[in-house]
């Protein structure tokens, strides 16, 4: 949802968008959208203005906002969950599984962070506009 909202803000960067406009595209609730936008604001990715014509805008250029930055702004903690409580030391699986999975999960999370760090909101917008130009007129 955060990446969707950021991409909308990039697409219509000539004006601010309201949380209701973004929520409509997300088929979601404006209250939930405002919560997500608040997290993006706290991360320095968006800002809001009040009053007539107010709404939300990008705080940085779309080429400066990676998918990882958006993800990190709205998600807390590790991507892959670990054991909620320590397994049994009496079991050979229990004694070893946490350390083994920690290595696997850490490498997987690092790979995801690196991959999301290579794609920007500008990249997504460029792809969306290309798709719209090439395919949408034939389907309308």
């Amino acid at each position: 949802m955060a990446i969707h909202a950021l991409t909308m803000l990039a697409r219509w960067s000539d004006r601010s968008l309201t949380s209701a406009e973004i929520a409509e595209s997300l088929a979601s609730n404006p209250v939930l959208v405002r919560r997500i936008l608040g997290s993006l604001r706290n991360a320095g990715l968006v800002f809001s203005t009040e009053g007539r014509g107010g709404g939300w805008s990008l705080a940085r250029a779309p080429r400066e906002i990676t998918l990882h930055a958006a993800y990190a702004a709205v998600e807390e903690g590790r991507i892959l969950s670990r054991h909620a409580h320590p397994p049994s030391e009496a079991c050979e699986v229990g004694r070893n599984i946490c350390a083994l999975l920690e290595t696997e999960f850490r490498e997987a999370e690092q790979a995801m962070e690196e991959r999301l760090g290579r794609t920007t909101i500008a990249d997504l917008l460029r792809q969306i506009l290309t798709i719209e130009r090439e395919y949408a007129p034939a389907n309308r």
Side-chain angles (χ1 to χ4, degrees):
M1 293 178 78
I3 292 168
H4 183 136
L6 290 167
T7 306
M8 283 191 69
L9 293 172
R11 172 64 180 96
W12 288 283
S13 61
D14 58 327
R15 65 183 182 93
S16 295
L17 297 180
T18 66
S19 55
E21 289 173 309
I22 297 168
E24 185 176 327
S25 177
L26 285 162
S28 185
N29 184 308
V31 173
L32 176 59
V33 170
R34 280 191 291 277
R35 193 174 308 136
I36 290 167
L37 290 167
S39 294
L40 294 172
R41 179 185 50 219
N42 292 343
L45 302 177
V46 300
F47 68 93
S48 63
T49 54
E50 294 184 19
R52 187 175 175 90
W56 296 89
S57 301
L58 293 180
R60 299 185 200 167
R63 70 181 179 283
E64 297 174 359
I65 302 173
T66 66
L67 300 189
H68 181 260
Y71 177 85
V74 296
E75 297 293 335
E76 293 181 11
R78 296 175 170 172
I79 298 163
L80 300 170
S81 61
R82 280 33 175 201
H83 264 279
H85 54 83
S88 172
E89 287 291 320
C91 172
E92 61 191 21
V93 172
R95 275 192 304 274
N96 296 292
I97 196 71
C98 288
L100 294 171
L101 287 179
E102 182 61 31
T103 300
E104 294 296 322
F105 287 4
R106 191 175 44 246
E107 288 178 14
E109 289 167 340
Q110 186 176 39
M112 187 188 111
E113 289 174 8
E114 289 172 6
R115 176 63 186 95
L116 293 178
R118 291 194 309 260
T119 304
T120 67
I121 296 299
D123 296 330
L124 290 183
L125 180 57
R126 193 168 26 259
Q127 291 175 52
I128 288 168
L129 295 176
T130 298
I131 292 166
E132 283 295 304
R133 268 193 313 274
E134 292 177 5
Y135 302 106
N139 296 327
R140 290 189 184 153

